[in-house]
Amino acid sequence: MYRCGVTTGSRVGEVFEIRYDTKRMHQGGVEVDVEGEGLELSDDGEGTVRVKVTAPGVNATVVISPR
């Protein structure tokens, strides 16, 4: 399991990506979740989780775990 703490800035709509290994570690894919608010997640199934800021100035945690 991977946990990434995030404090959002003032720009709603800003996006960053978290990459994961689909060949060696997460061949079956991952599950993504947010603890808290202010982030929207999408997993492309090919090794990239896109994290979009939906609320400014909040603390949240991105949780990525293998399926």
Side-chain angles (χ1 to χ4, degrees):
M1 179 184 315
Y2 174 76
R3 299 172 61 83
C4 177
V6 176
T7 301
T8 63
S10 61
R11 296 188 337 190
V12 172
E14 189 171 57
V15 175
F16 66 91
E17 296 179 340
I18 300 172
R19 303 268 311 155
Y20 61 91
D21 184 354
T22 59
K23 292 187 171 113
R24 291 182 290 166
M25 294 186 63
H26 303 295
Q27 296 169 350
V30 297
E31 292 187 29
V32 294
D33 195 19
V34 174
E35 293 176 353
E37 298 182 12
L39 300 176
E40 183 179 287
L41 305 179
S42 63
D43 175 23
D44 68 1
E46 297 180 9
T48 302
V49 175
R50 291 179 52 91
V51 183
K52 181 178 179 182
V53 175
T54 59
V58 296
N59 296 319
T61 301
V62 176
V63 180
I64 300 174
S65 54
R67 286 189 192 176

